[in-house]
């Protein structure tokens, strides 16, 4: 079996759904399970509709129009629309009326609200598959076995999910049925609908792949796999043949928009291969994501960067070597609910980075009780993902490139076993450095 996942933009309209259906139909001999996101930006539109309902305006127009026009464009029979699409739209409308009356939108209600996106998209897609002769069955995640805790808006799946999913989906696929499953959602023990966090459909697909012992989980995108760099920054970026789960998770975190960071977890346990494929170029092999890889000729697999980073430079005003300094510093970050990205320390000082979106005045006042503090905005993190066992090679080349370019590296961080080496430079120099490093490591 294989699991195939298509995101919102891959099923954004009738034309895209037809295209996806063609790709899946060609692979029916591999016994696929299909996981879909909500059509296009439907999740966002549902959240907007919830906010509007809070202010007293009930409207499902945008969501209704998209699904109605898609169903019409796909030429689906009216009976399908009446039986499967209209009841969901009616339920959605009732929910919005409820929100507008109570003027309250809790996490639980929000999850119920956004669930309509995926519940609609799988029904539209499954009906289309049947119309082209594929025996497809739409399954809400809970009917496919997904159970979660009650941590609404970012629920964790319960272990029993794996056995449930296997028991449900394997016989279906074995009997020639194409299960079309909602990404992103689940139900808790009380039967409340939950979601796995934004972008959670990737996780749905990897859980299914691990549960059914799939040969491969295919995550279909609109690029030829994971690229060596952001193609908007580096025009010559090329697909990476293979990366490890750890590397993929790092890349996801650094905004490479590859996969949901948590989605690697199920496959790390089961050892299932994940493959990122391009729906616009199905013949391309894509990028394989696996547990371990032999060292390649180039020690670096991909280069990413993140803009708008703030560096907080903290120098202890206390005695040298006093214990508890780091604990106190991090306690302030915890108190202000600030998540730290990079850290570098010396005996008396500590530098760390954060997203620039935060107002740090209050944090600075607290930190100044124990240290002198300097906050520097307008920085970029440039990250090399690769084999840290070859870090000397990586660092030598990187600093060579920086010297040649006249770029001053302001902070460096590298773990003992991690796959990432990160540098802080001025924001304006980030793209230049990424291009120069790409040329240095990949020769283009
Ligand atoms: N539709 C959900 C979202 O937009 C889940 C997903 O696309 O993976 O976040
Ligand atoms: Mg989406």
């Amino acid at each position: 079996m294989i699991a195939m996942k298509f995101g919102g933009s891959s099923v954004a309209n009738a034309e895209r759904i037809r295209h996806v259906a063609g790709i899946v139909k060609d692979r029916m001999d591999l016994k696929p399970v299909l996981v879909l996101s909500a059509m296009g930006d439907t999740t966002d539109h549902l959240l907007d509709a919830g906010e509007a309902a809070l202010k007293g305006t009930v409207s499902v127009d945008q969501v209704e129009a998209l699904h109605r026009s898609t169903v019409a464009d796909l030429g689906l029979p009216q009976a399908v629309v009446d039986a499967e699409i209209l009841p969901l739209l009616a339920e959605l409308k009732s929910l919005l009326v409820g929100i507008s009356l109570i003027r309250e939108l809790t996490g639980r209600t929000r999850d119920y609200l956004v669930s309509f996106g995926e519940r609609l998209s799988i029904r539209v897609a499954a009906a289309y598959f049947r119309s082209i002769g594929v025996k497809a069955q739409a399954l809400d995640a809970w009917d496919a076995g997904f159970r979660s805790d009650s941590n609404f808006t970012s629920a964790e799946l319960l272990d029993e999910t794996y056995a449930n999913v296997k028991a449900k989906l394997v016989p279906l696929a074995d009997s020639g049925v194409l299960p079309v499953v909602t990404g992103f959602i689940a139900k808790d023990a009380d039967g409340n609908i939950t979601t796995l966090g934004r972008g959670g459909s990737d996780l749905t697909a990897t859980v299914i792949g691990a549960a059914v012992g799939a040969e491969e989980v295919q995550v279909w995108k609109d690029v030829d796999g994971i690229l060596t760099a952001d193609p908007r920054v580096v025009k010559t970026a090329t697909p990476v043949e293979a990366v490890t789960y750890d590397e993929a998770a790092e890349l996801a975190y650094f905004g490479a928009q590859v996969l949901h960071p948590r989605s690697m977890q199920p496959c790390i346990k089961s050892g299932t291969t994940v493959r990122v494929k391009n729906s616009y170029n199905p013949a391309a092999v894509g990028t394989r994501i696996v547990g371990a890889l032999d060292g390649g000729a180039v020690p670096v697999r991909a280069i990413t960067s993140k803009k708008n980073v703030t560096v907080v430079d903290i120098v202890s005003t206390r005695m040298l070597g006093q214990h508890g300094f780091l604990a106190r510093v991090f306690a302030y970050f915890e108190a202000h609910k600030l998540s730290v990205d990079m850290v570098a320390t010396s005996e008396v000082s500590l530098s760390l980075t954060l997203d620039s979106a935060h107002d740090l005045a209050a944090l600075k006042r607290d930190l100044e009780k124990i240290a002198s503090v300097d906050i520097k905005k307008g920085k970029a993190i440039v990250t090399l993902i690769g084999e840290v066992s070859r870090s000397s090679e990586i660092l030598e080349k990187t600093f060579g490139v920086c010297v040649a370019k006249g770029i001053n590296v302001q902070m460096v961080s590298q773990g003992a076993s991690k796959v990432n080496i990160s540098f802080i430079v001025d924001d304006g120099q980030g793209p230049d450095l990424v291009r120069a490093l790409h040329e240095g490591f990949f020769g283009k």
Side-chain angles (χ1 to χ4, degrees):
M1 288 175 69
I2 59 168
M4 301 177 78
K5 181 258 169 176
F6 291 88
S9 60
S10 300
V11 291
N13 53 43
E15 188 213 323
R16 299 293 293 140
I17 291 173
R18 274 199 198 91
H19 182 73
V20 164
I23 292 174
V24 177
K25 199 176 177 184
D26 284 347
R27 288 164 180 74
M28 281 307 289
D29 57 322
L30 299 172
K31 293 197 278 184
V33 174
L34 189 57
V35 174
L36 299 181
S37 295
M39 291 179 63
D41 295 327
T42 297
T43 306
D44 292 324
H45 295 155
L46 288 166
L47 289 169
D48 291 346
E51 293 301 324
L54 268 183
K55 300 196 184 90
T57 308
V58 173
S59 164
V60 292
D61 292 354
Q62 213 170 8
V63 172
E64 178 157 0
L66 172 67
H67 290 84
R68 276 185 187 272
S69 69
T70 304
V71 159
D73 287 353
L74 290 173
L76 299 183
Q78 187 59 37
V80 169
V81 180
D82 291 346
E84 301 199 46
I85 309 298
L86 297 184
L88 279 177
L89 289 170
E91 187 186 337
L92 168 60
K93 223 172 278 180
S94 308
L95 173 61
L96 289 170
V97 169
I99 293 168
S100 77
L101 291 174
I102 310 169
R103 302 282 167 117
E104 197 175 86
L105 188 50
T106 60
R108 181 168 77 174
T109 310
R110 213 177 278 270
D111 280 356
Y112 178 24
L113 174 64
V114 292
S115 75
F116 286 94
E118 272 72 10
R119 288 154 79 195
L120 285 163
S121 73
I122 60 155
R123 284 169 172 79
V124 172
Y128 179 67
F129 273 106
R130 289 193 294 271
S131 78
I132 59 167
V134 176
K135 269 199 283 171
Q137 182 179 334
L139 288 157
D140 292 320
W142 44 88
D143 291 329
F146 282 78
R147 295 284 174 279
S148 76
D149 63 15
S150 306
N151 188 11
F152 297 106
T153 73
S154 65
E156 294 277 351
L157 291 170
L158 304 183
D159 285 343
E160 65 188 77
T161 297
Y162 290 85
N164 293 343
V165 165
K166 183 176 182 190
K168 181 74 197 185
L169 297 183
V170 171
L172 272 181
D174 278 341
S175 66
V177 172
L178 172 68
V180 186
V181 184
T182 53
F184 180 48
I185 59 180
K187 266 187 185 173
D188 71 6
D190 298 325
N192 297 303
I193 295 177
T194 59
T195 65
L196 310 178
R198 292 304 305 267
S201 302
D202 290 340
L203 180 61
T204 306
T206 53
V207 166
I208 290 177
V212 306
E215 213 161 294
E216 188 167 285
V217 176
Q218 299 180 345
V219 178
W220 290 77
K221 305 249 158 201
D222 51 12
V223 287
D224 278 333
I226 296 177
L227 301 179
T228 48
D230 182 340
R232 288 166 301 185
V233 177
V234 184
K235 295 221 161 44
T236 50
T238 47
V240 183
E241 196 262 317
V243 298
T244 64
Y245 300 126
D246 288 348
E247 291 165 355
E250 287 281 348
L251 283 163
Y253 172 74
F254 277 95
Q257 291 299 320
V258 203
L259 291 168
H260 191 271
R262 266 163 63 204
S263 66
M264 288 301 117
Q265 237 57 48
C267 291
I268 290 173
K269 282 199 207 136
S270 65
T272 313
T273 298
V274 179
R275 193 182 289 275
V276 181
K277 299 258 305 167
N278 186 357
S279 65
Y280 288 98
N281 184 13
V285 287
T287 299
R288 233 170 6 110
I289 309 176
V290 293
L293 285 168
D294 291 339
V298 180
V300 166
R301 279 198 246 281
I303 305 168
T304 68
S305 61
K306 191 166 162 178
K307 287 191 296 195
N308 276 325
V309 170
T310 297
V311 173
V312 183
D313 224 0
I314 304 161
V315 180
S316 173
T317 46
R318 304 292 197 83
M319 264 184 331
L320 232 84
Q322 177 179 294
H323 63 79
F325 177 66
L326 291 182
R328 294 190 63 183
V329 167
F330 283 112
Y332 288 130
F333 280 86
E334 158 82 32
H336 293 277
K337 294 195 164 50
L338 293 166
S339 150
V340 171
D341 289 341
M342 256 172 85
V343 183
T345 64
S346 79
E347 190 64 30
V348 289
S349 74
L350 169 65
S351 301
L352 33 79
T353 70
L354 311 152
D355 271 354
S356 290
H358 311 286
D359 177 14
L360 300 179
L363 172 79
K364 186 163 191 261
R365 273 197 300 280
D366 272 345
L367 285 171
E368 278 172 345
K369 294 174 193 160
I370 54 166
S372 64
V373 181
D374 189 11
I375 293 181
K376 300 166 181 154
K377 290 187 173 274
K379 305 295 175 187
I381 303 182
V382 172
T383 297
L384 299 167
I385 306 289
E387 294 169 50
V388 169
S389 59
R390 290 165 73 182
S391 65
S392 301
E393 224 179 299
I394 297 175
L395 292 170
E396 181 194 22
K397 183 158 281 185
T398 301
F399 288 122
V401 165
C402 290
V403 170
K405 283 259 153 197
I407 293 174
N408 196 35
V409 173
Q410 297 162 29
M411 186 175 155
V412 182
S413 140
Q414 179 206 324
S417 67
K418 287 301 170 210
V419 295
N420 129 12
I421 304 180
S422 293
F423 307 89
I424 292 285
V425 297
D426 280 338
D427 231 345
Q429 298 179 319
D432 254 357
L433 179 56
V434 171
R435 279 190 286 271
L437 287 172
H438 196 273
E439 160 102 53
F441 282 104
F442 302 111
K444 58 191 158 192

